[in-house]
Amino acid sequence: MTKYNIAQVNIARMKAPLENPLMARFAARIDEINALADGSPGFVWRLDSSGGNATYLRPYDDDRILFNMSVWETVESLRHYVYRTAHVELFRQRHEWFETFAGAYAALWWVPAGHIPGVDEAKKRLAHLNAHGPTQFAFTFKTILQPDEEFQQGIDWSSFQPCPAL
């Protein structure tokens, strides 16, 4: 059993509201891609609602920013899902539906096995990555950092607000 899992958050600013015809091809595949994640080896958890996805959640002031968060057993299992399944089709077509971000739009970080990150935690990790680049607090697929036990022990996990989807 692993001591740590990998958490990820990614955000994207839609070119139009989700109900707009411009977003139809993306919106039509949300349930499929989420089900693919749910059944993927190494999948632990993803942010969702009773409707099966987190598109309702708008944690930023901008209503066109979609927020996605999940937890995986390993970086390898997350990487496989992102880049070697049907998910990659949407990833490759993202410019059809989403604007280009000037800053960080995705962050990875280690969490103790069993920990479910909240939106507050994910936003702090993403903001930290944007301000400081890859560190033990948040990093990217391009700069994977292995968990540092001393750093992990120094985190006050209770300082993060619990996940609203639990």
Side-chain angles (χ1 to χ4, degrees):
M1 178 177 262
T2 60
K3 189 171 187 175
Y4 296 103
N5 292 148
I6 193 76
Q8 73 80 31
V9 62
N10 65 80
I11 60 174
R13 186 168 195 279
M14 298 180 288
K15 290 184 174 181
L18 197 56
E19 305 77 27
N20 186 292
L22 177 70
M23 300 299 295
R25 287 187 1 179
F26 171 78
R29 295 201 63 192
I30 291 173
D31 291 342
E32 168 201 350
I33 298 302
N34 284 340
L36 179 62
D38 294 349
S40 291
F43 172 81
V44 174
W45 172 88
R46 71 177 165 83
L47 182 64
D48 66 7
S49 69
S50 59
N53 67 66
T55 58
Y56 73 94
L57 186 65
R58 297 293 192 275
Y60 292 94
D61 291 336
D62 186 339
D63 281 347
R64 292 204 345 233
I65 294 181
L66 289 183
F67 187 91
N68 177 289
M69 180 170 52
S70 59
V71 177
W72 297 76
E73 290 177 355
T74 65
V75 171
E76 294 76 20
S77 59
L78 173 59
R79 187 187 317 264
H80 183 272
Y81 166 73
V82 171
Y83 297 112
R84 293 187 178 87
T85 68
H87 176 274
V88 78
E89 296 168 16
L90 277 83
F91 187 73
R92 288 182 180 142
Q93 297 170 330
R94 68 190 178 277
H95 298 293
E96 292 180 30
W97 307 299
F98 301 103
E99 296 176 2
T100 302
F101 261 78
Y105 60 88
L108 308 176
W109 69 98
W110 297 105
V111 296
H115 174 77
I116 301 299
V119 172
D120 169 68
E121 178 177 348
K123 286 177 66 176
K124 288 176 180 173
R125 303 281 185 160
L126 192 56
H128 189 275
L129 177 63
N130 198 44
H132 304 285
T135 66
Q136 279 288 321
F137 195 73
F139 49 91
T140 66
F141 273 124
K142 290 181 182 177
T143 310
I144 302 290
L145 300 174
Q146 294 305 309
D148 178 279
E149 189 65 33
E150 185 177 339
F151 179 83
Q152 292 293 324
Q153 295 299 320
I155 295 174
D156 177 6
W157 296 95
S158 67
S159 70
F160 300 121
Q161 295 174 14
C163 183
L166 296 179

